[in-house]
Amino acid sequence: MIRSVRRSLTALVSTLAVPAVAAYSAAQAPAPAAPTTVIRAARMVDPKSGNVMQNPVVVVQAGRITSVGANAAIPAGAKVIDLGNLTLLPGLIDAHTHLLQNYRGELGGDDPNMILTVTTMSTAKRALLGAKMGREDLEAGITTVRDLGNSGFGGDVALRDAINAGWVVGPRIRAATRALAAAGGQFGTVQPETQKIIEQEYAVVSTPDEARRAVRQAFYDGADLIKVIVNTGPRVVSLDEMKAIVEEAHRVGRTVAAHAIGDTATRIAAEAGVTSIEHAYTVPDEVLRMMAQKGIYLVPTDYPAEFYVDAFASSSLTPEQKRQQLEGAKGFAQSSAARLMRAVRAGVKVAFGSDEYYDTPGRTRGQASLLTLQAYQEAGMSPLEVLRAATVNSATLLGWGERIGSIEAGKLADIIAVDGDPLKDVKDLQHVRFVMKGGEVIKGAAVKE
Ligand SMILES: [Zn+2]
């Protein structure tokens, strides 16, 4: 009652008073210039050119970078963030995240975890989990992510919008909503009576028409891009269906990320002309050549061998079982490394994607995700190539090449700082000391007024 009276009064006041006030402000008192922040540090790496600037001065206003220069003059009245001996870099971009799930290794892999997550967690609860995971990414230096499904019904869109509205602190998000997939999505065995849970995570398509319908529905649901699971075991989305998906997305200027592993699925994805192929742990040279020729990105979701063992450590294993587990992980990491270098040699563009979705004891989500960069370096990519994968390349893949991915005038002020020299060893990125997103300091700064 009281509230409704107040609402009517507010409405009355708005209609009468606000236009007059607004007109007055516009004519008489131009808005004061936004406060200026300046970041200084010992050096700045530009992943695009590979150049290092000494004593950079980065000027930030209203969330954007307005100028960058070595030893440049500091504008009067600016707030100065002096980062001393640190090195500046653009904020990192993870092109393959799943912020709304956090699986537990001890449950025995993806199948039981997925069923437990979907049947016991509401989408609302998962969005709140996503807020925690997103914050951990941001604090580790990941200022933008492309979140690729497994988010319930619209949970990723809700998180993206909440972050944009300033309700919670997290990275910029490009959201995929439910992934399109063949029968069953990525679920293991689920009995017929309970298969309805599959719709929570996947839009199952069985014909090109269903594929078109699912793409349009995803955009209606708020998707920025489309994610397709091309294959899960013997269930494969056909080439005709993939072509329909790509055509529908491209018609409205959107992109398609394709999960594909093995000869058949990677070939279908590349022939259909997707924007990126995720994982591709096995992929023939012929498909890599097609990817290079069509400009299709590879998002290699790789980890150092030791990580697989840490993440799935179980105290119940005998020493011999542990040894076998490490051997298996080493073999997998080596084969992933070999295919990454085949892709690089074939001229395929690489973008950083962690595909991290397990709880990792001793590491935050962001810290665990950055181990992927270490895996690229251990595979044989130069630190500069790795930095490009995690900045300019990911930015372009996300369709945000003009907004993020480098520290340049006009771009959003997404800036991180680290000790050491990441051009010598990207492991230095695992201890980010300072994070700014859109001009807002998220982590660590010695501020001099
Ligand atoms: Zn994934």
Side-chain angles (χ1 to χ4, degrees):
M1 173 65 175
I2 290 173
R3 199 191 292 168
S4 74
V5 169
R6 196 159 65 191
R7 198 173 340 150
S8 329
L9 282 176
T10 312
L12 186 66
V13 169
S14 330
T15 38
L16 293 178
V18 167
V21 170
Y24 174 82
S25 319
Q28 304 292 324
T36 303
T37 303
V38 165
I39 304 172
R40 305 176 62 172
R43 62 200 76 76
M44 182 179 91
V45 174
D46 175 17
K48 227 191 234 177
S49 64
N51 291 340
V52 178
M53 181 188 286
Q54 303 297 324
N55 302 313
V57 173
V58 181
V59 181
V60 174
Q61 241 182 349
R64 285 185 185 272
I65 298 161
T66 56
S67 71
V68 185
N71 298 304
I74 292 174
K79 183 171 91 174
V80 177
I81 298 172
D82 191 336
L83 296 173
N85 198 36
L86 299 189
T87 299
L88 301 182
L89 294 145
L92 305 173
I93 302 163
D94 188 341
H96 190 131
T97 64
H98 298 286
L99 297 180
L100 279 72
Q101 59 183 11
N102 195 30
Y103 288 179
R104 287 158 49 206
E106 71 270 20
L107 292 178
D110 287 2
D111 288 356
N113 270 293
M114 189 176 295
I115 286 175
L116 204 62
T117 298
V118 172
T119 55
T120 65
M121 289 180 78
S122 65
T123 298
K125 192 171 179 182
R126 294 179 71 181
L128 292 169
L129 169 69
K132 174 178 159 63
M133 297 293 108
R135 173 133 208 162
E136 291 182 2
D137 267 9
L138 187 56
E139 288 178 351
I142 298 166
T143 48
T144 301
V145 305
R146 191 177 63 152
D147 204 65
L148 295 183
N150 298 107
S151 317
F153 217 120
D156 51 353
V157 168
L159 179 61
R160 175 196 69 195
D161 294 350
I163 289 170
N164 288 344
W167 299 351
V168 293
V169 176
R172 303 175 197 291
I173 294 180
R174 294 293 240 177
T177 69
R178 293 182 306 160
L180 278 56
Q186 291 176 294
F187 278 88
T189 306
V190 175
Q191 292 307 301
E193 308 78 46
T194 36
Q195 286 182 9
K196 202 165 167 25
I197 61 170
I198 292 163
E199 294 167 23
Q200 179 81 7
E201 297 289 88
Y202 301 96
V204 171
V205 299
S206 303
T207 66
D209 280 351
E210 284 181 12
R212 283 181 201 282
R213 187 193 302 255
V215 171
R216 293 174 190 173
Q217 184 68 41
F219 291 140
Y220 179 73
D221 293 340
D224 297 305
L225 74 145
I226 298 300
K227 166 83 179 292
V228 192
I229 310 297
V230 182
N231 63 327
T232 303
R235 290 116 58 197
V236 183
V237 176
S238 73
L239 180 57
D240 280 354
E241 289 154 8
M242 282 303 296
K243 281 182 174 168
I245 290 165
V246 170
E247 190 183 278
E248 282 301 316
H250 283 183
R251 196 202 315 285
V252 291
R254 303 285 175 94
T255 59
V256 178
H259 161 119
I261 296 161
D263 291 17
T264 305
T266 56
R267 195 182 304 274
I268 287 173
E271 276 187 25
V274 299
T275 318
S276 63
I277 297 184
E278 315 294 309
H279 319 300
Y281 298 118
T282 48
V283 52
D285 283 328
E286 191 194 328
V287 171
L288 290 174
R289 282 196 293 274
M290 202 185 334
M291 289 171 69
Q293 184 229 325
K294 293 187 174 189
I296 298 171
Y297 284 82
L298 172 66
V299 180
T301 52
D302 302 352
Y303 283 87
E306 305 73 32
F307 171 78
Y308 293 109
V309 179
D310 285 355
F312 302 101
S314 166
S315 51
S316 61
L317 293 182
T318 65
E320 174 55 19
Q321 283 171 322
K322 281 185 182 163
R323 195 193 61 76
Q324 284 176 5
Q325 198 181 37
L326 181 60
E327 285 309 305
K330 275 184 183 160
F332 183 67
Q334 273 165 14
S335 112
S336 300
R339 80 88 169 71
L340 174 54
M341 295 320 289
R342 281 196 293 123
V344 169
R345 283 194 296 272
V348 177
K349 292 183 284 189
V350 174
F352 160 49
S354 70
D355 193 28
E356 180 52 77
Y357 55 90
Y358 272 86
D359 185 52
T360 311
R363 286 195 171 91
T364 68
R365 171 60 64 91
Q367 288 166 343
S369 301
L370 293 180
L371 292 172
T372 295
L373 300 178
Q374 181 185 330
Y376 297 167
Q377 179 173 279
E378 287 173 0
M381 282 174 76
S382 72
L384 178 58
E385 287 173 323
V386 177
L387 286 178
R388 281 183 183 146
T391 55
V392 275
N393 289 9
S394 280
T396 311
L397 169 57
L398 269 61
W400 277 351
E402 303 300 313
R403 305 180 75 198
I404 56 173
S406 59
I407 302 177
E408 284 180 276
K411 288 204 169 172
L412 292 167
D414 291 359
I415 298 167
I416 63 170
V418 298
D419 282 312
D421 184 357
L423 280 176
K424 287 211 177 78
D425 186 352
V426 297
K427 289 203 288 296
D428 286 344
L429 295 173
Q430 291 170 12
H431 309 282
V432 168
R433 298 269 307 275
F434 170 84
V435 179
M436 170 180 275
K437 179 198 159 202
E440 187 190 342
V441 176
I442 304 295
K443 178 180 179 175
V447 180
K448 285 182 194 163
E449 295 291 341

